[in-house]
């Protein structure tokens, strides 16, 4: 029963995240990542996809230059 509720909640987060990517009111990407993280507990494919997302995030973050403070 616990696994069923966890997976249902994860898919609900993913569904709301997809809707949030279209609607400007709901933050879509954080909800997609949260749903993927919950699914990764039970699903190997979700864990692998989450690792790929983390790698891509790290690469994207390293390309962005932090603004310098002007004194």
């Amino acid at each position: 029963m616990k696994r069923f509720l966890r997976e249902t909640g994860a898919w609900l987060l993913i569904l709301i995240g997809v809707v949030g990517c279209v609607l400007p009111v709901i933050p879509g990407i954080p909800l997609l990542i949260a749903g993927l993280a919950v699914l990764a507990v039970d699903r190997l494919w979700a864990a692998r996809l989450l690792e790929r997302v983390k790698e891509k995030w790290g690469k994207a973050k390293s390309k962005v230059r932090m603004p310098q403070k002007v004194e």
Side-chain angles (χ1 to χ4, degrees):
M1 183 68 175
K2 198 176 200 182
R3 181 177 174 184
F4 174 76
L5 291 175
R6 184 171 47 239
E7 286 193 20
T8 303
W11 284 110
L12 188 61
L13 282 172
I14 290 172
L15 179 66
I16 294 170
V18 169
V19 171
C21 287
V22 178
L23 298 176
V25 182
I26 303 170
I29 293 176
L31 290 174
L32 285 171
I33 293 172
L36 194 59
V38 173
L39 265 182
V41 172
D42 295 322
R43 303 289 182 184
L44 183 59
W45 64 267
R48 289 180 184 155
L49 184 58
L50 187 60
E51 286 301 316
R52 286 180 51 197
V53 168
K54 286 179 185 178
E55 287 175 17
K56 298 276 185 184
W57 175 255
K59 288 179 184 178
K61 197 166 77 169
S62 67
K63 289 181 181 180
V64 175
R65 296 172 69 201
M66 297 301 289
Q68 304 262 333
K69 288 186 178 180
V70 178
E71 294 181 17

